[in-house]
Amino acid sequence: MAAYLAAHPIAVPVLADPGRQLYAALGLGRTTWGRLMRPGLVWKYLKMVVRGGKVRRVPAGEDPLQLGGDFLLGPDRRVLWSHRSADPTDRPSADAILATVRTLVPAPTP
């Protein structure tokens, strides 16, 4: 995470969970090699490569079977919204996340 943030600094807090304890607490499971290699998922990756995407090697220490998710937290650190990925390609779009933020955060009053 430190190397990534050094190369790509961002202005929001970033959390890391090397022991994957938060993954478990948030209900983020693992997949299997069989599910990972099923034809539909392989097809998605092939289309990504044809469109110029790159398949990267799994860095040492990462679990290739760990599923991820996207979460929006409130100021009190409560989970306001969650999307638990069913497979590695199952991610909401940035537009979908922003639309959700707009429904959760009241518009400023003039």
Side-chain angles (χ1 to χ4, degrees):
M1 183 63 67
Y4 178 85
L5 291 174
H8 310 283
I10 58 175
V12 297
V14 175
L15 306 173
D17 182 22
R20 296 182 186 90
Q21 294 162 333
L22 185 58
Y23 280 78
L26 292 171
L28 298 172
R30 295 178 76 234
T31 191
T32 64
W33 284 109
R35 277 193 56 82
L36 195 61
M37 300 307 290
R38 69 185 192 278
L41 191 54
V42 171
W43 180 244
K44 284 182 182 181
Y45 276 109
L46 286 174
K47 287 193 302 188
M48 178 187 74
V49 169
V50 168
R51 293 181 181 138
K54 294 181 181 171
V55 177
R56 67 173 176 89
R57 193 177 191 97
V58 177
E62 282 193 21
D63 180 357
L65 302 178
Q66 177 65 59
L67 293 172
D70 296 274
F71 299 85
L72 296 174
L73 306 177
D76 59 356
R77 298 181 183 160
R78 252 182 340 114
V79 175
L80 302 176
W81 175 86
S82 64
H83 175 88
R84 290 167 183 84
S85 299
D87 65 54
T89 65
D90 176 26
R91 303 304 294 268
S93 69
D95 288 339
I97 293 172
L98 289 172
T100 301
V101 168
R102 287 185 199 100
T103 66
L104 295 171
V105 178
T109 55

